[in-house]
Amino acid sequence: MVSISAEPTPATHLATEIATQPDDWARAATIAAEHRAILPQSGERVAVIGCGTSLFMSKAIAALRESAGQGVTDAWPASEVRSGREYDRYLVICRSGTTTEVVNAMRDIPAHIPRTVICSSPGTPVLELGDPIMIDEVDEQSVVQTRFATTVLAILRWHLGEDLAPVIEQARAVLAEDPAISLADVRSAEEISFVGMGFAAAIAEEAGLKLRESCQSWTESYLATEWRHGPISIAKPGRAVWAFGPLVPNFTADVAVTGAHFEHRDIDPMADLVRIHQLCVLRSADLGLDPDHPRNLNRSVVLDQ
């Protein structure tokens, strides 16, 4: 169990970067419009690639694009791109612009296939390997990604024709709350299992990663329907299950019998992810950890070759 600190939450880059997200998502509409020609076109077969958080955003984009009827969309980790498939375009997500697996994957893409890269770091290798969308205004000093990743997702959601105005307002409402009150039931949970369906499943994966990175928490992530097929066995009092997006039938009752706390809000999963970001700040403070500099992590994974 996490012990709740009575001390004020220390100022961090992570907390500052979390707070800009609603404005970042609003600006994403203009970015999407300006780069419409190099973003995936309706009917194209597209591969979206990234590592870590960028991979989870890739999965979310793939799910949203296919559900919108825009065309076949695969999401691959940069280290395992299925190069034998016939894609019309690659979309690459890389905050640092230097991740070795991403650079190698881009070099391996056949020269005749268009590739677009979204990055927030000027002067980096990936920008020379594709058509760039530079969003350095959402670059981050914290190693833990928040606003870069969600802004990338916002750009693609605007591009797909979604109106994110309601989502932005939901995020503003989240940020206006006192997280010490709104997150009291999960702040000290021994374990949290995140679940979702569709693109919310990718958000669930990202939520688990954020807490592992920032405060070394025990978290797991599953499709909501798969949670019943084994993971339900770890649920018990003192632990929590957090669901993103619409619930599958009977899910609330299934959690209730375990005694675990059930956390769910009827808001967009991207707005609900902001609550996870707030939880990262709280739990890292409770544990005396620096969420801007997580253990064993750097801003970019650069490998010896």
Side-chain angles (χ1 to χ4, degrees):
M1 302 288 285
V2 177
S3 177
I4 295 178
S5 173
E7 297 298 319
T9 302
T12 62
H13 294 306
L14 181 63
T16 298
E17 290 154 4
I18 289 168
T20 71
Q21 287 178 105
D23 290 341
D24 299 331
W25 302 351
R27 286 195 302 270
T30 300
I31 298 170
E34 290 175 345
H35 296 89
R36 183 181 298 110
I38 60 172
L39 287 168
Q41 306 298 301
S42 181
E44 287 183 332
R45 294 176 60 90
V46 175
V48 193
I49 65 175
C51 297
T53 289
S54 294
L55 173 61
F56 299 142
M57 295 303 102
S58 299
K59 290 183 175 183
I61 290 164
L64 287 165
R65 188 170 184 270
E66 288 201 347
S67 66
Q70 293 285 302
V72 171
T73 314
D74 293 325
W76 301 113
S79 57
E80 290 194 353
V81 179
R82 303 293 174 84
S83 57
R85 301 192 177 188
E86 295 184 359
Y87 293 115
D88 300 310
R89 184 181 303 270
Y90 286 81
L91 177 63
V92 181
I93 304 169
C94 185
R95 177 181 68 168
S96 71
T98 58
T99 302
T100 300
E101 293 103 327
V102 173
V103 172
N104 289 344
M106 294 187 72
R107 287 173 175 162
D108 289 341
I109 295 172
H112 68 282
I113 303 178
R115 79 290 306 270
T116 299
V117 58
I118 306 180
C119 180
S120 63
S121 302
T124 52
V126 300
L127 300 174
E128 300 176 359
L129 298 171
D131 295 319
I133 299 178
M134 174 58 65
I135 52 172
D136 53 347
E137 66 273 18
V138 296
D139 199 24
E140 296 152 331
Q141 296 187 60
S142 177
V143 168
V144 176
Q145 284 195 45
T146 53
R147 67 183 182 188
F148 169 76
T150 59
T151 301
V152 171
L153 183 55
I155 290 169
L156 270 294
R157 292 181 73 175
W158 284 112
H159 178 67
L160 289 172
E162 291 191 56
D163 178 6
L164 295 188
V167 182
I168 291 167
E169 290 310 307
Q170 289 172 356
R172 293 193 197 282
V174 165
L175 289 167
E177 297 174 345
D178 180 353
I181 296 173
S182 62
L183 297 169
D185 291 328
V186 290
R187 182 173 179 176
S188 60
E190 177 190 27
E191 184 274 340
I192 307 176
S193 292
F194 296 102
V195 301
M197 299 297 291
F199 96 97
I203 299 298
E205 290 186 277
E206 169 61 3
L209 178 64
K210 286 285 84 71
L211 284 163
R212 290 192 293 272
E213 289 178 330
S214 63
C215 46
Q216 304 166 25
S217 295
W218 174 17
T219 61
E220 304 191 11
S221 306
Y222 304 95
L223 284 169
T225 48
E226 287 299 308
W227 182 79
R228 298 166 170 142
H229 295 272
I232 190 174
S233 63
I234 67 169
K236 68 174 189 177
R239 300 177 182 176
V241 178
W242 186 313
F244 291 95
L247 299 175
V248 298
N250 302 317
F251 193 82
T252 302
D254 290 338
V255 177
V257 299
T258 71
H261 170 74
F262 183 47
E263 188 75 18
H264 176 257
R265 282 196 183 182
D266 187 19
I267 61 176
D268 188 273
M270 196 164 80
D272 208 13
L273 184 61
V274 177
R275 300 180 68 223
I276 298 298
H277 297 160
Q278 293 177 315
L279 185 59
C280 290
V281 173
L282 285 176
R283 286 173 69 105
S284 61
D286 291 340
L287 294 165
L289 299 173
D290 178 0
D292 292 334
H293 303 94
R295 183 175 63 185
N296 303 327
L297 289 179
N298 295 307
R299 176 178 164 89
S300 175
V301 176
V302 179
L303 305 174
D304 292 332
Q305 299 188 77

